Amino acid sequence: LFRSGITVKWNNTSAFTPTFTVQRRLAGGAWGTIAASVTNTGTAYVINDTTMGAAGSYSYRLLATGTVATAYTAASNAITTP
């Protein structure tokens, strides 16, 4: 967590995942895309989410789109304060 947003980091361990989509939701609401078609450029990725609204509990997940399959990761949670 940093002062102006949330940092989402992940490592790609698959050679078959060319793109990722990062999604976020607030306190059990609907999932929304905050970064689409993040291209596989290596093994470590960082997205700085500075578009959150009010303070609250946010969940993040990735949609990995590969040459063999497409799948969501488990959600990770973060809490922001005012």
Side-chain angles (χ1 to χ4, degrees):
L1 179 63
F2 65 99
R3 197 168 188 79
S4 60
I6 294 174
T7 300
V8 180
K9 297 179 182 181
W10 72 97
N11 292 315
N12 180 19
T13 58
S14 171
F16 303 106
T17 308
T19 60
F20 297 93
T21 299
V22 182
Q23 295 185 327
R24 176 192 69 212
R25 70 178 175 181
L26 175 61
W31 288 102
T33 297
I34 62 168
S37 298
V38 179
T39 304
N40 184 357
T41 57
T43 58
Y45 299 83
V46 177
I47 298 292
N48 291 320
D49 181 11
T50 59
T51 62
M52 295 107 47
S57 178
Y58 291 88
S59 296
Y60 292 84
R61 70 180 181 183
L62 298 174
L63 172 62
T65 304
T67 55
V68 177
T70 298
Y72 287 102
T73 63
S76 293
N77 301 309
I79 298 173
T80 61
T81 56

